[in-house]
Amino acid sequence: MNGDWPKRLQRWAPYALTPLVVVAALPAIGPGPWLTLTVAGLTMGIMLFMVAAGLTLIFGLMDVLNFAHAAFVAVGAYIAVSVLQPLAGWTNEMSLALNIAALLVALVAAALASGALGFVFERVVIRQVYGAPLRQILITIGALTVIEQLIIVIWGPQAIPLPKPAMLRGSVFIGSSSIETYRLFALCVGLAVALAMHLFLTRTRLGLVVRAGVEDREMIQALGYHIRSVFIGVFMAGTALAGMGGMMWGQY
Amino acid sequence: MTDAGETLLRVEGVFTNIGRYRILHGVDFSAARGRVTTLLGRNGAGKTTTLRTIMGLWKARLGKIVFDGQSIAALDTPHIARLGIAYVPENMGIFGKLTVRENMLLATERRGFAPEHLDRVLESFPALKVKWDSPAGSLSGGQKQMLAIGRAMIEQRRLLLIDEPTKGLSPAMVDQLVEALLRLKREHTTILLVEQNFRVAEAVGDDVAVMDDGRIIHTGTMAALAANHGLQHRLLGLSMADSV
């Protein structure tokens, strides 16, 4: 067992680097700003995680370089606009439950819309270019432009303000550090999504198939699994995660 | 297995191309139910291509593949696998980042393991029990081969396609694999085995089909081929004296 330690250390060292830097910064900037910056960094990181997790899943399993992934982030944010505007009554109410309910409705809508768009995108665009990386780059960059323009057609070229819900504006104070309330909410949602993803990939049979498919697509088919269906599901999940990240980012 | 001996798999006039190259030129042979059919031939004869074509991983351009009365040449690979055909490829097809348990679980048809099937695999390959929760990538070559064959044994399959299971293994490991294959044989499992090691083929095989240049050039019983050194030399370029 002792012989395993160097290997284990080597495996975990990259993960330990960021926490070590964070801890090392504490004496340099003091506890107040340190906590504020740490929470801000974690929140941004967790939102980027939601976006990047989808991209990684799609690239890892399907070998698809989806340069249009950012478009799904934008779609998620704009869908959130369309959902939250009619829910202004809930978001302006001084009720944490109603505020969070409105955001969760927007989050689910962003995920569903981006996932549905991802389904169409896989069928119409990606299916034609499996196994052809150069074509994937060209066609997904083209698709990115098309989706961007469609967003302008639907929602217009002007920036649309997306005010935070009443109870999630402002900050909470812990000692000498101030932490934006919305960041705490975003952090909780992001961690919940990360946990759900982890449980899906490690505790479910479908998650097992996805992880195996990343390693050897041919063998997973020889074991009786329809990798095409898994591809579509993973693409939809990846774009749905991007949409959720976009919704969270829109409010940030 | 009262139907032992009747044809389970029939390959008729199968032509397969890989890219621009034609690899199989009208392959004809059959595998009988409950028996071990060995597919022999020199390197590049088309043995692996034949197994992959049966499995649907490469599509037959022409010809018929009939499994238990059903034509399967046009079916996709998952559909063929779900008919009860297990495939152990030459590269073993192990998922290195998954644990041994997870690799096995992927081959089960239900949520968990059937205890009698799991016991059977672990009795044949006790090393897998020790490495049960280790990443499969950390196994030795022989252990990976045990896992690959164990994965094919974890459910009651109707046909096993096994491609060169002893390639690159130590003699002790080869003996253990042969013992596992003999166990499957005693259980009347139908196996189509590609094997370069003639001693292994002889120990396990009931019937034999010899390939050369993408065609079947000989079919018969393994016992008859093993007894005829001249035929071995003519078909395979070896005799029992120089086979490993």
Side-chain angles (χ1 to χ4, degrees):
Chain A
M1 289 298 284
N2 288 338
D4 289 345
W5 273 107
K7 275 187 183 174
R8 283 188 189 180
L9 199 63
Q10 208 173 9
R11 196 165 62 225
W12 287 103
Y15 301 106
L17 185 64
T18 306
L20 282 175
V21 170
V22 170
V23 172
L26 176 57
I29 60 175
W34 180 84
L35 187 59
T36 304
L37 291 173
T38 301
V39 173
L42 283 173
T43 310
M44 289 181 80
I46 204 87
M47 285 193 291
L48 282 174
F49 159 79
M50 280 200 266
V51 174
L55 192 68
T56 310
L57 266 181
I58 290 168
F59 183 61
L61 180 66
M62 305 162 72
D63 275 346
V64 169
L65 291 162
N66 183 13
F67 277 70
H69 196 71
F72 295 96
V73 180
V75 167
Y78 277 95
I79 290 290
V81 167
S82 294
V83 171
L84 287 174
Q85 278 175 344
L87 290 177
W90 289 12
T91 54
N92 292 331
E93 195 71 35
M94 289 301 283
S95 156
L96 188 60
L98 273 180
N99 290 176
I100 289 178
L103 289 185
L104 290 181
V105 169
L107 194 68
V108 170
L112 289 177
S114 302
L117 184 63
F119 175 77
V120 175
F121 193 78
E122 195 276 342
R123 288 283 158 137
V124 176
V125 178
I126 299 294
R127 178 153 290 201
Q128 326 302 326
V129 291
Y130 276 124
L134 189 60
R135 288 182 187 181
Q136 285 170 11
I137 293 170
L138 289 172
I139 202 164
T140 55
I141 289 176
L144 173 65
T145 310
V146 170
I147 297 174
E148 271 178 342
Q149 295 307 310
L150 284 174
I151 286 173
I152 291 171
V153 168
I154 297 168
W155 284 283
Q158 276 80 35
I160 305 171
L162 191 56
K164 293 185 181 76
M167 292 294 286
L168 297 178
R169 291 171 202 152
S171 303
V172 290
F173 293 91
I174 301 171
S176 60
S177 67
S178 78
I179 298 167
E180 277 190 38
T181 317
Y182 180 77
R183 286 179 182 170
L184 288 175
F185 170 75
L187 194 58
C188 292
V189 171
L191 288 174
V193 170
L195 180 67
M197 234 181 105
H198 175 75
L199 291 176
F200 166 73
L201 286 172
T202 57
R203 302 286 171 88
T204 68
R205 190 165 179 113
L206 191 54
L208 193 58
V209 172
V210 170
R211 286 192 291 142
V214 170
E215 282 198 57
D216 189 339
R217 271 173 279 172
E218 196 172 86
M219 193 62 219
I220 202 74
Q221 293 189 83
L223 288 171
Y225 298 97
H226 287 271
I227 199 76
R228 283 274 174 199
S229 311
V230 178
F231 275 10
I232 295 168
V234 165
F235 201 89
M236 288 176 70
T239 52
L241 280 168
M244 290 166 83
M247 180 270 159
M248 300 301 292
W249 204 272
Q251 290 266 315
Y252 191 67
Chain B
M1 291 292 167
T2 51
D3 300 331
E6 76 173 39
T7 298
L8 179 64
L9 175 77
R10 202 171 71 244
V11 178
E12 282 180 18
V14 165
F15 288 77
T16 302
N17 290 7
I18 302 176
R20 290 182 295 131
Y21 302 102
R22 174 150 289 174
I23 308 299
L24 300 187
H25 302 267
V27 169
D28 285 290
F29 73 98
S30 59
R33 193 188 298 271
R35 291 172 69 85
V36 178
T37 304
T38 51
L39 204 51
L40 302 179
R42 296 182 175 91
N43 281 336
K47 305 182 296 295
T48 294
T49 305
T50 302
L51 290 199
R52 290 177 62 85
T53 303
I54 294 167
M55 204 62 212
L57 293 165
W58 287 329
K59 287 292 168 200
R61 284 294 178 99
L62 285 170
K64 279 188 194 170
I65 303 172
V66 180
F67 175 69
D68 206 11
Q70 180 181 356
S71 176
I72 61 169
L75 299 181
D76 58 20
T77 301
H79 198 152
I80 292 169
R82 287 184 179 275
L83 292 174
I85 302 179
Y87 176 51
V88 180
E90 194 176 349
N91 69 2
M92 297 174 268
I94 295 302
F95 305 108
K97 289 180 184 165
L98 307 189
T99 64
V100 169
R101 186 186 67 83
E102 288 172 329
N103 267 275
M104 298 284 266
L105 199 56
L106 279 168
T108 58
E109 287 164 2
R110 52 191 85 73
R111 282 181 169 272
F113 298 106
E116 67 275 17
H117 292 170
L118 184 58
D119 290 346
R120 177 166 153 255
V121 171
L122 295 180
E123 273 172 28
S124 294
F125 305 118
L128 296 182
K129 202 172 187 174
V130 179
K131 297 279 187 175
W132 193 239
D133 288 313
S134 302
S138 69
L139 304 183
S140 69
Q143 289 168 336
K144 282 181 184 164
Q145 192 59 266
M146 290 177 190
L147 174 56
I149 294 178
R151 196 169 57 184
M153 293 165 63
I154 198 68
E155 291 287 346
Q156 200 71 50
R157 307 292 181 195
R158 297 163 75 196
L159 172 65
L160 301 189
L161 307 177
I162 306 178
D163 197 354
E164 296 208 34
T166 63
K167 191 177 177 184
L169 300 186
S170 67
M173 204 61 84
V174 169
D175 289 345
Q176 203 173 348
L177 279 176
V178 167
E179 193 46 53
L181 293 173
L182 288 173
R183 178 177 185 155
L184 287 169
K185 180 177 170 162
R186 285 194 296 274
E187 292 168 355
H188 303 291
T189 308
T190 311
I191 300 175
L192 178 57
L193 174 71
V194 167
E195 185 53 67
Q196 291 271 23
N197 185 327
F198 192 82
R199 283 185 197 280
V200 172
E202 187 194 3
V204 178
D206 296 306
D207 302 312
V208 64
V210 182
M211 291 191 78
D212 190 31
D213 196 23
R215 296 177 179 84
I216 299 291
I217 56 169
H218 171 84
T219 56
T221 64
M222 192 70 224
L225 181 61
N228 189 336
H229 291 194
L231 190 61
Q232 286 171 39
H233 186 73
R234 185 164 64 77
L235 296 174
L236 301 164
L238 54 76
S239 66
M240 284 303 289
D242 54 27
S243 65
V244 182

